[in-house]
Amino acid sequence: MASLKLNDIPPDIVIGRLPLYLRALTRLKQEGNDVTSSHELGRHLGISSAQIRKDLSHFGGFGKQGTGYQIEYLVAKLEQVLQVDREWLVIVVGAGNLGSAIAHYRGFADRGFRIAWLVDASAEKIGQKVGDLSVHPISDMQTIIRQNGVKVAMLAVPAEHAQSVADQLIDAGIRAILNYAPITIKVPDNVKVQYIDPVVHLQTMTYFLRSED
Amino acid sequence: MASLKLNDIPPDIVIGRLPLYLRALTRLKQEGNDVTSSHELGRHLGISSAQIRKDLSHFGGFGKQGTGYQIEYLVAKLEQVLQVDREWLVIVVGAGNLGSAIAHYRGFADRGFRIAWLVDASAEKIGQKVGDLSVHPISDMQTIIRQNGVKVAMLAVPAEHAQSVADQLIDAGIRAILNYAPITIKVPDNVKVQYIDPVVHLQTMTYFLRSED
DNA sequence: AACTGTGAAGTTTTTCACAGCC
DNA sequence: GGCTGTGAAAAACTTCACAGTT
């Protein structure tokens, strides 16, 4: 049953832009708009209108000629495409400053994710409260994942432990890892990894900070 | 004085990979290696060796045929290209959970950046200690930036304030902004912005989590 | 009149494949 | 034999431009 119309295989680079569209659309909605256009969306995102139309066209015709896009409808469709029309339970590994900040962040809930567990390796952190969560021992990690069918993990451990923790996560059934450790990890083809390393972004920008103006 | 050999204008996408090369090389060095090859680097990063050679060739010939790349030399060259062969002072705006986590993070210092100031808008946070830093009032922000010639900022404020704070940052002289707020901000051409929004990464991955295996 | 969806054209990025060097 | 640096070829991605619809 092809519940989602795929005219062809959408390139990964297109998938990477859909969350941005979704974010901008949600904002437009909050601001009281009901309808938008590829031009307006593009202006908000710094992307050409043609690209937005082309991207969306991979998943079916969501707009109306002459009118544009019904925001609510398009949001629903994009959520369906991205599979965030449900709630994903997330386990966070590492309860240091970063892991704690993640656990406290309020911005996951309404975008498809619930931080449900926080685990750490250090004995003195176990049992501590971090926001609504209490820290579980890392020895329980695989059991938590298996018993709850958890598929998504966030990795906030020191670089030297990232690979071995990732191996354990995957072994227990995790299929998507958001890795905050500044190191590339090796995973099988059926596991997705994305990286967040602020220094990489900063270093990309300093390249362009050559004295001109 | 062309202190840096540019055979042509390197595409932005190439610049974005250089910090990854730098990160992997630093790691290889730490592990005791003195020399590497485009193949080895590529294996570590999941990138083809041809791409690495092509990327590096934009900035000059850093390798030796038959031998590979002297890691220490290549690191020095890449740091020079990215301009992280110096220390950039960084101001962090927003001293909530995220701003605090950033201020505590030890991983900036040896990669070209020093978090030097933390400012916040809320009266009760002013004067508080966050790691080595104390929180300054946001009313001092522009003065701090101007008096110290700060060029790089990290933005960790709620989405609704991101644009107005960014405007103030730029007005005071900031030229690179790492934006953690989940919203696209408008900036002049001579200002660079990069975004970190964990939900965007998570949503990109859930797309691929279609039941197969 | 305004806007989408889309083939075709144009541009950018990646890979190939090999001459040249160690 | 092993590796780089690089033109040329291939692939991927973006923009153009317009027919078709509201």
Side-chain angles (χ1 to χ4, degrees):
Chain A
M1 29 77 184
S3 63
L4 177 67
K5 180 177 155 194
L6 280 183
N7 301 324
D8 50 26
I9 304 134
D12 285 11
I13 197 164
V14 171
I15 306 305
R17 279 191 295 262
L18 300 185
L20 303 177
Y21 299 167
L22 188 50
R23 200 175 71 176
L25 288 163
T26 308
R27 185 148 206 94
L28 284 169
K29 190 86 211 308
Q30 281 170 354
E31 289 169 356
N33 301 276
D34 286 333
V35 174
T36 189
S37 67
S38 59
H39 283 88
E40 185 178 41
L41 246 189
R43 231 179 309 115
H44 276 263
L45 289 163
I47 290 179
S48 81
S49 60
Q51 178 157 86
I52 290 172
R53 292 199 302 280
K54 185 70 114 187
D55 283 357
L56 295 178
S57 77
H58 284 100
F59 308 96
F62 298 146
K64 279 209 176 37
Q65 287 150 320
T67 312
Y69 301 91
Q70 207 68 32
I71 295 178
E72 201 157 341
Y73 178 72
L74 184 51
V75 164
K77 282 301 179 183
L78 288 180
E79 287 179 345
Q80 188 187 330
V81 168
L82 292 171
Q83 302 202 106
V84 291
D85 54 350
R86 72 204 67 177
E87 181 184 70
W88 295 88
L89 298 179
V90 179
I91 183 167
V92 177
V93 189
N97 288 305
L98 183 55
S100 300
I102 292 168
H104 277 110
Y105 182 54
R106 305 258 63 100
F108 292 111
D110 57 351
R111 297 170 74 191
F113 302 91
R114 186 166 103 226
I115 310 300
W117 301 276
L118 181 54
V119 305
D120 198 282
S122 86
E124 66 262 30
K125 292 226 180 71
I126 312 305
Q128 281 186 17
K129 275 278 180 186
V130 176
D132 301 336
L133 302 176
S134 59
V135 180
H136 292 268
I138 201 162
S139 53
D140 290 356
M141 183 175 79
Q142 294 197 313
T143 308
I144 293 168
I145 293 168
R146 289 205 177 91
Q147 290 191 343
N148 299 280
V150 189
K151 295 292 171 217
V152 181
M154 299 174 78
L155 196 45
V157 302
E160 55 270 31
H161 299 127
Q163 182 66 60
S164 72
V165 172
D167 292 344
Q168 295 175 59
L169 288 169
I170 294 161
D171 178 55
I174 291 292
R175 287 295 168 265
I177 299 175
L178 182 50
N179 182 16
Y180 282 85
I183 187 171
T184 306
I185 56 177
K186 285 198 206 349
V187 303
D189 285 348
N190 64 343
V191 176
K192 287 280 162 184
V193 186
Q194 296 255 320
Y195 295 88
I196 291 185
D197 180 352
V199 178
V200 166
H201 293 283
L202 292 172
Q203 291 183 338
T204 300
M205 293 193 286
T206 50
Y207 173 85
F208 297 98
L209 257 41
R210 308 196 119 74
S211 39
E212 20 62 47
D213 268 53
Chain B
M1 31 84 185
S3 63
L4 177 67
K5 179 178 157 194
L6 282 181
N7 302 324
D8 49 25
I9 304 133
D12 286 12
I13 197 163
V14 171
I15 307 304
R17 280 191 294 262
L18 299 186
L20 302 176
Y21 299 167
L22 189 50
R23 200 174 70 176
L25 286 164
T26 307
R27 184 149 207 92
L28 283 169
K29 189 85 211 305
Q30 280 170 355
E31 288 168 358
N33 301 277
D34 285 334
V35 175
T36 189
S37 66
S38 59
H39 283 88
E40 185 179 40
L41 246 189
R43 231 178 308 116
H44 276 262
L45 289 164
I47 290 178
S48 80
S49 60
Q51 178 158 86
I52 289 171
R53 292 198 302 280
K54 186 70 114 183
D55 283 357
L56 296 178
S57 76
H58 284 101
F59 307 96
F62 298 147
K64 280 211 177 33
Q65 287 149 321
T67 312
Y69 301 91
Q70 207 69 29
I71 295 178
E72 199 158 344
Y73 178 72
L74 184 51
V75 164
K77 283 299 179 183
L78 288 179
E79 287 179 343
Q80 188 187 329
V81 168
L82 292 170
Q83 303 202 107
V84 291
D85 55 350
R86 70 202 70 179
E87 182 185 69
W88 296 87
L89 297 179
V90 179
I91 183 166
V92 177
V93 189
N97 288 306
L98 183 55
S100 299
I102 293 167
H104 277 112
Y105 182 53
R106 304 257 64 100
F108 292 111
D110 57 350
R111 296 169 74 192
F113 302 91
R114 188 167 100 226
I115 311 298
W117 301 276
L118 182 53
V119 304
D120 198 282
S122 86
E124 66 263 28
K125 291 225 181 73
I126 312 303
Q128 280 185 17
K129 276 279 180 184
V130 176
D132 301 336
L133 302 176
S134 58
V135 180
H136 293 268
I138 200 163
S139 52
D140 290 355
M141 184 176 78
Q142 293 196 313
T143 307
I144 292 168
I145 293 167
R146 289 207 178 90
Q147 288 189 345
N148 299 279
V150 189
K151 296 292 171 216
V152 180
M154 299 177 78
L155 196 45
V157 301
E160 55 270 31
H161 299 127
Q163 182 66 61
S164 71
V165 172
D167 293 343
Q168 294 173 58
L169 288 169
I170 293 161
D171 178 54
I174 290 293
R175 287 294 168 267
I177 298 175
L178 183 49
N179 183 17
Y180 283 84
I183 186 172
T184 306
I185 55 176
K186 283 195 206 353
V187 303
D189 285 347
N190 64 343
V191 176
K192 288 278 162 187
V193 186
Q194 297 255 319
Y195 295 87
I196 291 184
D197 180 353
V199 177
V200 166
H201 293 282
L202 292 173
Q203 291 184 337
T204 300
M205 292 192 288
T206 50
Y207 172 85
F208 298 98
L209 256 42
R210 310 196 116 76
S211 39
E212 21 60 48
D213 269 53

